[in-house]
Amino acid sequence: MIMKKKMLFVFAALICILSCTNQKESRIVIDGKVVNAEAGKVYLQKFEEKLFFAIDSADVIDGNFHFSTVAALPEIYGLTVDAQKGQLMMFLDANPVQVVLDPSENYRHSEVTGSAEQDLYKDYLRQEDVVIEDFIKAHPKSLVATYVLYRNFSYRLSPEEIQANIRLLDSSLWNTQYVKTLEALVETLFSVSPGKPAPDFTADDTEGSPVSLSSRLGNGYVLLDFWASWCPPCRRENPHLVSLYNDYKDKGFDIFSVSLDRTKEAWLKGIADDGLTWTHVSDLKYWHSAPAALYGVRAIPSNFLIDKDGVIVAKNLDSDVLRTKLEELLK
């Protein structure tokens, strides 16, 4: 009897796995033409955690290419002629698509026809002042709505707001990589909210020596700053951080910067060009940065103000608000 119950439980679990997501293995069929190219290769990529990974390739013959590849659908895929220079992002469903692939201007002028999900994403990009709750309510079964919540809104929402928006999505989307990431993010964001102890970590500094966050705490307030040399908003914010650092470094304020750069050369050049004279660390893993994951960082610049006892006081303060906060705390 016990064995029979176990078998029924396993069978029910398998049914749930198969039915709780609308993704299934299907055949991606793409017919395309590359603008201004008669030969070469086109690479089909799958999107995972803000990065694209090649899963197939096709030869370009007389300017044309074709894919017939078994993969999960609906899902986000990319097409590129050079993985080092970006890609055309596509929301693919089970329908065959036709693509005009134009590599110029980061594939901005490329065209995809045949996918209802891609059409919805293009429509979303044309909208201004989107309210994510309303967008999900209008498209609860859409992978586009799931992606938009995951990519464009999660970094500006509270954990409670993320949870509420997940519940608006159809349950068929709850097992997608996007919702799973959001659920894990909710737990992380709760753990790094103001009033909670700042999680410690260790990463290499610019000389390759390991430095822990905790080693810089205990003498005042530390701004844990997440940035990257490739991030324009970060670079625009850096002069303000330099000014704040110079004004308050002798009054109990320090900065501990974590870079999401991919190469040491770019990282060091960014530090030198912007005159950033405080402690810097990085594991050079881009969006797979371990410290960024530990703090639930989904967009940069991002920061956490930590007191001498290692407790998070505030987060994501712009330079003007940070200056006011420091004046209040360091009186």
Side-chain angles (χ1 to χ4, degrees), residues 90-110:
M90 307 177 297
F91 287 80
L92 299 184
D93 47 34
N95 298 311
V97 297
Q98 295 75 46
V99 177
V100 177
L101 191 64
D102 184 349
S104 68
E105 297 187 43
N106 200 30
Y107 298 89
R108 184 176 304 171
H109 305 295
S110 299

Side-chain angles (χ1 to χ4, degrees), residues 32-39 42 60 63-65 81 99-104 107 109-111:
K33 179 177 180 59
V34 182
V35 175
N36 296 326
E38 294 299 313
V42 174
V60 178
N64 300 304
F65 64 91
V81 297
V99 177
V100 177
L101 191 64
D102 184 349
S104 68
Y107 298 89
H109 305 295
S110 299
E111 298 178 7

